[in-house]
């Protein structure tokens, strides 16, 4: 046992320090692509313990990587080399009472997103962040990665939902920024800077989150559309006509539907028509006065009249609503069960999604003829999960994965978009950022990092590593 | 003429360089409280010229303060000592075409906010930023100060409306971050960090702004309420019932109405009832299907039934709507015409506004008996412009201004709020930040500043000055 391990074990006690031998469950990211054996796993129960852990590791010059629910897709919450400390916030999962009059709640970083949703049930309030991993993802990790998800186009990303933060800095200093107001211009927007910093600037321990009135009514439709161009045109109209109450605008494609239906027997498709593209549309309101179904039907009729929508249906029950959502949510799983896959998380200006899909499809076909493109995602903010399966019958991507990834990323970037829309950089894309973003931008990020963590002991492998990725 | 002046005159030509002798119009802030004579005023016409100016000033070690419409209230856009350069962006006021399908537009920093609103008229799109100074305030200044205004509770502050930025750094380096997507997690949120940095981290030259669908219908009500507690209770209900379409929720008080009616003859008050508090409520939608008046009437009736609303009326015409807004908008002018005044820009959690007003009123009365408190502002985000006039008959605040300001700021801070909600720190409140915010927070800000501008030539008197304010 090293001196640091001994010290951390003293600070945290047996419940708070998992030695290397038992650290397996925390070691690898959940896609099992990244991670090295740690010195141990620190599981502090309070901010003061987080501070003591960071101070001790800092003094010893040993890297620390904060880990939430470990649901990230870019290897940002595991070690890049053996011997560092994994800092798990799971034991800090307390929450305060929601403040209905002010629309906020204070929570600890280890609180699981779904637990927050459940705690708010019946309070008349909601926290409008929804994503596939919400059963495991923790608030601290969502902040560290600036999570987006399906409601971000309407309610914002994590950084838009954070009013205040408590953060422990690299040397153990605690910054108390637990304010509870939207408007706070007393200096730099530190709360925003920590969102998406992937544990490289500090460790989030508590947050004051913004809450919204919970919907009292909802309408959900599943639509079939001929192609991506029609989908974009219809989406633009819908954002104008129903933007005030629109809470979901998710798209997926024929190939994705096929894969999901093939591999997930419990799934069923409720319509007689098939098309090139599918839209899941949801409108919701906290007011009983909103004529949600009227708004949805009117836009649907318009779309059919224009030939943009081939078929569609509005969910008649809560069970049907859940079934519609499942068609969208099982897209990743359907593809995973098909075998090898390549995931890309890009964003382009929403009006250019069809153009992007056309150009990206041609690029991929050129690099690997027959490759199966399965794009799905969030239409209203242009966030496309541009995922690929190998050509029918092939086991892998014939060594072209890197080339394809770079080509897709470059295309999105060239269209004013991003190659890392909502999943972040982590270890997986730091190098891509060095390639695709300007040297000025990378230097800026390195300067910020060094300003807050001169010793670079906080998650040194992620985002903008010293060795340039 | 100094060597630097000569160099800048060479770079910018006669239209771009205003020598010291002619620099008077740019020298003082508009409240005439801050500002020192500059070496001259640089008025570049392109990003390359901004870069050349900053590089030259940087090499000479001469401070540069960027200036937009110079409508700030905290002295953040003028010099703190003679001899620096004022950098006016007024000649860079171009704009691109709005992209309706993606909901965005690219503009130069010198574009005046009202000119942007006018340019979007009839396009079906709007930029949802509204504040008193919009006839002069420029996009770059709004970004630099992270402006808020009356629509921020619904659509966000400036940082929420900026998708991409071009920024020239202290040494003249140009950072091109002109992306056009909401979701971009490829590293630190630089676009957010520059918002509200008051020209201390770089000079914004261009921005891609987020646009929303423009309203096609609107309903505006003026309400009379007994007191602040009733106003907060009614506001909470209204946010739940009409939050999807609520675009304005502005409050002012009886004393403010009285002062405005006394000093501004053109104003008239349309109701027979007076109360302790007044609310201007506006709902708007891009959809014709929204039953706006029904929603407003239903909530109004509820409020009357509960005794929270004493009286109210819905504007019957565009002219009446404008008249209602003017009652709110002339609050600052009414008070100014009354004589000496003290302005405070605080925020508290919206549910605690009444509690804040009670406590602050008692504090002020104790410090200066008879002082007249005139609070108005943005109910939904807790942003109170807590303004004071001297006791009836007194010409000033009897030397208690500083003490009162500190007490009010401390009270808001202690309630989880901010003493600098939407106006920023500038030169006026940097010292207050040193007093009221933790040393850890001020050190963080100093570290960020030094990381991006080690020579501290960019607006060195604002936000977090080297000498600690």
């Amino acid at each position: 046992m090293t001196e640091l391990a001994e010290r951390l074990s003293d600070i945290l006690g047996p419940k708070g320090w998992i030695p290397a031998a038992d650290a397996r469950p925390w070691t690898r990211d959940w896609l099992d692509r990244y991670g090295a054996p740690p010195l141990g796993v620190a599981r502090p129960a309070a901010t003061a313990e987080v501070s003591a852990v960071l101070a001790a590791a800092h003094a010893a010059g040993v890297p620390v990587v904060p880990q939430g629910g470990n649901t990230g897709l870019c290897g940002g919450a595991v070690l890049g080399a053996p011997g560092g400390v994994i800092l798990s916030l799971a034991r800090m999962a307390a929450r305060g009472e929601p403040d209905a009059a002010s629309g906020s709640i204070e929570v600890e970083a280890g609180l699981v997103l779904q637990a927050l949703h459940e705690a708010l049930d019946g309070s008349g309030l909601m926290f409008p962040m929804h994503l596939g991993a919400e059963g495991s993802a923790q608030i601290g990790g969502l902040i560290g990665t600036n999570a987006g998800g399906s409601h971000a186009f309407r309610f914002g990303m994590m950084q838009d939902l954070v009013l205040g933060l408590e953060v422990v800095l690299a040397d153990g200093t605690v910054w108390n920024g637990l304010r509870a107001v939207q408007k706070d211009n007393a200096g730099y927007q530190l709360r925003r800077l920590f969102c998406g910093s992937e544990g490289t600037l500090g460790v989030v321990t508590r947050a004051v989150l913004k809450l919204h009135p919970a919907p009292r009514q909802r309408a959900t439709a599943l639509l079939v559309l001929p192609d991506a161009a029609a989908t974009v045109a219809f989406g633009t109209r819908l954002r104008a006509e129903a933007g005030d109450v629109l809470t979901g605008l998710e798209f997926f494609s024929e190939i994705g539907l096929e894969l999901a239906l093939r591999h997930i027997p419990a799934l069923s498709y409720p319509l007689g028509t098939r098309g090139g593209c599918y839209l899941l549309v949801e409108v919701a309101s906290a007011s009983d006065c909103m004529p949600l179904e009227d708004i949805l039907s009117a836009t649907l009729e318009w779309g059919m009249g224009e030939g943009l929508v081939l078929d569609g249906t509005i969910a008649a029950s809560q069970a049907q609503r859940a079934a519609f959502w499942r068609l969208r949510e099982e897209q990743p799983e359907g593809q995973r069960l098909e075998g090898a896959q390549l995931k890309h998380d890009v964003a382009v200006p929403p009006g250019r999604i069809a153009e992007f899909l056309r150009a990206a499809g041609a690029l991929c076909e050129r690099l690997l003829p027959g490759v199966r493109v399965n794009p799905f995602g969030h239409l209203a903010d242009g966030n496309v999960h541009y995922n690929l399966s190998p050509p029918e019958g092939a086991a892998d991507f014939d060594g072209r994965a890197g080339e394809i990834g770079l080509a897709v990323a470059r295309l999105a970037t060239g269209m004013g978009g991003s190659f890392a829309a909502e999943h972040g950089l982590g270890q997986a894309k730091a190098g891509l950022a060095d390639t695709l973003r300007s040297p000025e931008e990378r230097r800026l990020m390195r300067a910020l990092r060094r300003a807050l963590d001169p010793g670079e002991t906080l998650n040194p492998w992620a985002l903008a590593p010293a060795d340039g990725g």
Side-chain angles (χ1 to χ4, degrees), chain A:
Chain A
M1 190 139 126
T2 70
E3 205 177 316
L4 177 62
E6 215 164 313
R7 172 108 185 78
L8 294 177
S9 169
D10 282 353
I11 292 168
L12 297 165
K15 278 168 79 176
W17 177 248
I18 315 275
D22 304 323
R24 220 185 155 74
W26 291 267
T27 301
R28 301 282 292 173
D29 77 309
W30 85 272
L31 292 176
D32 199 21
R33 296 191 302 163
Y34 299 93
L39 179 69
V41 181
R43 301 176 73 242
T47 300
E49 289 186 1
V50 176
S51 169
V53 168
L54 287 181
H58 186 255
V62 171
V64 176
V65 175
Q67 188 177 96
N70 198 15
T71 63
L73 296 170
C74 297
V78 292
L79 300 177
V85 173
I86 297 274
L87 178 57
S88 163
L89 277 290
R91 287 175 73 210
M92 294 178 64
R95 54 177 173 78
E97 285 304 309
D99 177 343
S102 298
S104 65
I105 188 170
E106 187 172 326
V107 301
E108 284 189 328
L111 185 66
V112 169
L113 179 53
Q114 192 170 292
L116 175 58
H117 289 317
E118 286 164 5
L120 291 172
D121 250 3
S123 72
L125 297 162
M126 67 156 176
F127 182 62
M129 168 67 58
H130 290 281
L131 34 75
E134 65 189 55
S136 310
Q138 297 170 9
I139 298 300
L142 294 164
I143 292 171
T145 57
N146 191 27
S150 54
H151 287 48
F153 77 93
R154 169 84 185 279
F155 298 101
M157 303 181 76
M158 206 63 193
Q159 63 184 344
D160 303 298
L161 299 169
V162 163
L163 297 175
L165 283 180
E166 178 186 79
V167 178
V168 184
L169 306 178
D171 64 358
T173 301
V174 179
W175 170 57
N176 182 337
L178 286 169
R179 265 83 72 174
V181 289
Q182 181 193 16
K183 287 181 173 170
D184 177 26
N185 274 346
Y188 302 128
Q189 295 295 312
L190 298 177
R191 53 186 169 176
R192 302 298 181 102
L193 178 63
F194 284 112
C195 286
S197 64
E198 301 187 355
T200 64
L201 301 181
V203 177
V204 173
T205 44
R206 287 199 290 171
V208 179
L209 304 177
K210 189 173 173 180
L211 302 177
H212 286 256
R216 282 208 304 260
Q217 55 158 337
R218 187 179 265 136
T220 309
L222 180 69
L223 310 186
V224 191
L225 304 97
D227 53 31
T231 306
V232 168
F234 182 74
T236 302
R237 172 76 170 218
L238 198 63
R239 292 208 310 278
E241 285 300 319
D244 300 321
V245 289
L246 196 63
T247 54
L249 189 58
E250 298 288 293
F251 76 96
F252 53 96
S253 65
E254 174 60 16
I255 187 173
L257 178 62
E258 214 177 282
L259 290 177
L261 292 173
R262 184 187 306 169
H263 293 294
I264 302 168
L267 276 192
S268 74
Y269 177 72
L271 290 164
T273 319
R274 298 283 279 261
C277 213
Y278 300 87
L279 261 186
L280 189 123
V281 181
E282 193 158 280
V283 289
S285 178
S287 165
D288 293 323
C289 298
M290 291 289 172
L292 294 184
E293 296 222 357
D294 292 355
I295 293 173
L296 211 48
S297 309
T299 323
L300 199 51
E301 269 165 43
W302 175 83
M304 286 179 156
E306 298 283 314
L308 299 174
V309 177
L310 301 176
D311 197 1
T313 179
I314 296 182
S317 66
Q318 179 57 31
Q320 208 175 15
R321 173 181 175 255
F324 289 5
W325 268 101
R326 226 188 130 191
L327 284 172
R328 158 65 183 89
E329 282 165 350
E330 293 288 13
Q331 291 295 313
E333 186 61 6
Q335 183 159 35
R336 191 185 68 82
L337 293 169
E338 177 72 5
Q341 57 172 331
L342 268 183
K343 287 170 172 288
H344 304 105
D345 166 42
V346 306
V348 295
R352 300 183 70 182
I353 290 180
E355 178 191 345
F356 167 79
L357 291 177
R358 230 175 6 251
L363 271 173
C364 291
E365 177 63 26
R366 196 156 61 232
L367 288 166
L368 184 63
V371 68
R372 287 172 295 166
V373 176
N374 178 21
F376 56 88
H378 318 296
L379 192 78
D381 54 32
N383 183 189
V384 181
H385 299 302
Y386 192 78
N387 293 359
L388 306 177
S389 291
E392 201 79 57
D396 60 26
F397 294 91
D398 201 20
R400 317 302 289 265
E403 234 174 315
I404 290 172
L406 183 59
V408 169
R410 208 184 281 282
L411 180 66
T413 304
M415 291 173 73
S418 176
F419 60 92
E422 62 176 10
H423 297 167
L425 295 177
Q427 297 185 42
K429 294 188 190 168
L432 210 50
D434 289 331
T435 305
L436 293 175
R437 291 283 165 94
S438 66
E440 295 79 22
E441 180 164 318
R442 298 302 281 164
R443 273 201 299 272
L444 262 174
M445 292 193 186
R446 296 272 317 133
L448 290 173
R449 175 175 202 146
R450 276 196 312 267
L452 265 62
D453 178 20
E456 303 206 32
T457 51
L458 284 177
N459 207 357
W461 305 280
L463 202 142
D467 62 6

